[in-house]
Amino acid sequence: MPAIIKNNVLIYEGCNYLRYRLILSTLSGKPVRITNIRIKDDDPGLKEYEVSFIRLLDKITNGTRIELNETGTNLFYGPGLLNGGELEHDCSLQRGIGYYLEAIVILAPFCKNAVDVKLKGITNNTMDPSVDRIKVAAVPILKRFLLGDNEILFTISKRGAAPLGGGEIRFKCPVSRNLKSIHFQNSGMVKRVRGTACSIRVSPAIANRIVESAKGVLLKFLPDVYIHTDHCKGAASGKSPGFGVTLSAETTTDVVFGAEAFSPLMKAGSLPCVPEDIGKEAAMKLVDEIYRNGCVDSPFQSMTAMFMALGKKDVSKIVTGPLTPSMIQFLRDLRDFFGVVFKIEKLREDDEILDQVVLTCIGVGYSNRGKRTL
């Protein structure tokens, strides 16, 4: 549903895409009101993980005004200034750390102080991008847009699986006054596949079984496949058992395609999960992501569009795979907050229309208001 503007406040209805709308509000400085949040559910209003996300935004900003009614079905968010600095946040165990970290990656370059954040919670689950996938696929996207040779630190101190978590990561990113505009239309050819198979509070042999299964699929396509095993034990193993794998395919033009699979939460009466199935599932997802053949990994299309829109006042052009539903809605919301409209066209090659999409826009010349001019 499109936004209604009333007294300079953008009004949306429903809980869908709440996270991206709050991120856009924080960067644009435009207040937003979200109404009728899950009013027909048995448990109406904001969920615990959404409240935790709002608290994280409150920590990273200064002067943010948040109003929530008694039932949690009506939220007003008046953004403050992005401050950054050293932060520590306990993420809700209903969602993975990736749900929160993606927002930090988007906001970090525009803070007043360099962001040094420590997030605790679930590092790997079946719902959100794992911290490994963000490290191998999302951070390189950020580096493409940053000016100069900026050092980004990303360490996974502990791993934690659902439901009890116990994982911990640290992300450190410098601030940037402006972002570059980019032209990125050649995804290149896949030259190698790397990965990490993790076993948390289970037998180390499970990680080896995942590796063998994944390599059984991938070695049919190329010979350079190496999957590292990460067996977590003791204090670094979190509080719940689980296992899974994150794969990345690197191309000749430094594009990274990602894929992952993780064991589902074991419930009473559920079928047992076999490591070989996890390895094969991740490998097939990676092959599918390569087939989509964009210049960015599919879950991070929205992040790329954000950086393109906030770049300097010049044309940015990038080729992606077929647009995801969240990306389509994100482009609509981006128009509401920043007035940026993307030109979207199918990629053509030798009079043949391909599945890839060419996205073109002119940046708004967004400048970091917190960073002093030299």
Side-chain angles (χ1 to χ4, degrees):
M1 186 175 174
I4 300 167
I5 301 175
K6 190 175 180 182
N7 298 328
N8 291 327
V9 177
L10 280 83
I11 302 172
Y12 290 96
E13 192 173 322
C15 61
N16 287 345
Y17 313 106
L18 178 136
R19 180 175 57 137
Y20 281 127
R21 285 168 179 167
L22 295 181
I23 293 171
L24 285 164
S25 172
T26 304
L27 286 169
S28 66
K30 294 180 179 177
V32 64
R33 184 180 297 280
I34 299 170
T35 62
N36 297 339
I37 301 171
R38 299 188 182 91
I39 52 171
K40 295 183 180 178
D41 283 19
D42 294 335
D43 182 18
L46 291 174
K47 299 288 187 189
E48 180 193 318
Y49 66 87
E50 292 166 330
V51 174
S52 177
F53 179 74
I54 293 167
R55 287 201 183 106
L56 177 60
L57 289 181
D58 190 35
K59 285 180 184 178
I60 203 171
T61 56
N62 193 2
T64 295
R65 184 169 145 239
I66 300 160
E67 296 174 8
L68 193 62
N69 68 349
E70 288 181 8
T71 56
T73 56
N74 195 318
L75 167 70
F76 173 81
Y77 180 81
L81 294 174
L82 279 164
N83 188 44
E86 286 192 27
L87 306 167
E88 191 169 315
H89 186 69
D90 290 322
C91 303
S92 167
L93 298 179
Q94 291 179 353
R95 297 295 291 260
I97 289 177
Y99 178 83
Y100 303 87
L101 184 58
E102 190 180 346
I104 296 289
V105 173
I106 293 172
L107 297 173
F110 307 107
C111 290
K112 181 179 180 181
N113 304 301
V115 169
D116 185 357
V117 63
K118 188 184 286 183
L119 298 176
K120 298 177 181 179
I122 294 170
T123 55
N124 303 75
N125 66 0
T126 55
M127 196 182 305
D128 303 294
S130 67
V131 291
D132 300 274
R133 190 166 185 177
I134 291 177
K135 184 176 182 178
V136 298
V139 172
I141 294 171
L142 174 60
K143 285 181 177 178
R144 283 186 185 275
F145 286 92
L146 291 178
L147 294 167
D149 186 21
N150 290 295
E151 187 69 29
I152 295 174
L153 178 73
F154 194 130
T155 52
I156 302 168
S157 313
K158 302 176 185 175
R159 290 189 182 274
L164 299 178
E168 184 180 302
I169 67 104
R170 184 185 175 201
F171 176 71
K172 190 174 181 180
C173 177
V175 295
S176 177
R177 180 154 183 79
N178 302 99
L179 296 181
K180 292 187 285 190
S181 58
I182 66 166
H183 288 257
F184 199 20
Q185 296 171 264
N186 180 17
S187 59
M189 303 292 287
V190 174
K191 59 181 179 180
R192 61 172 169 251
V193 172
R194 296 290 181 263
T196 302
C198 62
S199 51
I200 307 167
R201 288 187 171 271
V202 292
S203 167
I206 285 180
N208 296 327
R209 288 166 63 186
I210 293 173
V211 171
E212 289 303 314
S213 174
K215 287 175 78 171
V217 174
L218 296 170
L219 287 173
K220 296 175 184 175
F221 300 99
L222 78 166
D224 192 356
V225 179
Y226 179 76
I227 304 171
H228 165 70
T229 57
D230 183 10
H231 176 59
C232 306
K233 55 185 178 181
S237 64
K239 299 174 182 176
S240 297
F243 51 88
V245 62
T246 302
L247 302 173
S248 61
E250 300 169 35
T251 75
T252 50
T253 56
D254 295 327
V255 173
V256 180
F257 301 113
E260 60 193 341
F262 199 75
S263 57
L265 185 62
M266 295 299 175
K267 297 177 182 176
S270 64
L271 293 171
C273 181
V274 183
E276 284 77 8
D277 292 346
I278 295 291
K280 187 176 179 182
E281 180 189 341
M284 294 308 293
K285 282 181 177 177
L286 184 66
V287 172
D288 182 57
E289 189 63 39
I290 294 169
Y291 176 74
R292 292 167 68 90
N293 197 25
C295 291
V296 292
D297 198 17
S298 294
F300 309 115
Q301 288 179 355
S302 303
M303 178 190 295
T304 309
M306 174 75 85
F307 291 148
M308 288 171 70
L310 299 181
K312 63 181 183 180
K313 293 180 180 178
D314 199 356
V315 176
S316 286
K317 183 181 280 191
I318 197 163
V319 171
T320 72
L323 299 183
T324 61
S326 64
M327 172 64 163
I328 293 167
Q329 182 60 44
F330 182 76
L331 293 176
R332 293 175 184 144
D333 293 342
L334 200 54
R335 180 190 58 200
D336 292 342
F337 283 94
F338 284 99
V340 175
V341 179
F342 278 73
K343 181 183 178 186
I344 304 171
E345 52 191 342
K346 284 282 192 177
L347 185 65
R348 293 174 178 269
E349 193 175 279
D350 301 329
D351 296 327
E352 183 184 355
I353 300 175
L354 305 177
D355 287 335
Q356 286 96 307
V357 176
V358 183
L359 292 175
T360 312
C361 81
I362 297 176
V364 297
Y366 189 89
S367 181
N368 186 340
R369 289 172 285 182
K371 188 171 168 65
R372 285 189 221 157
T373 31
L374 299 173

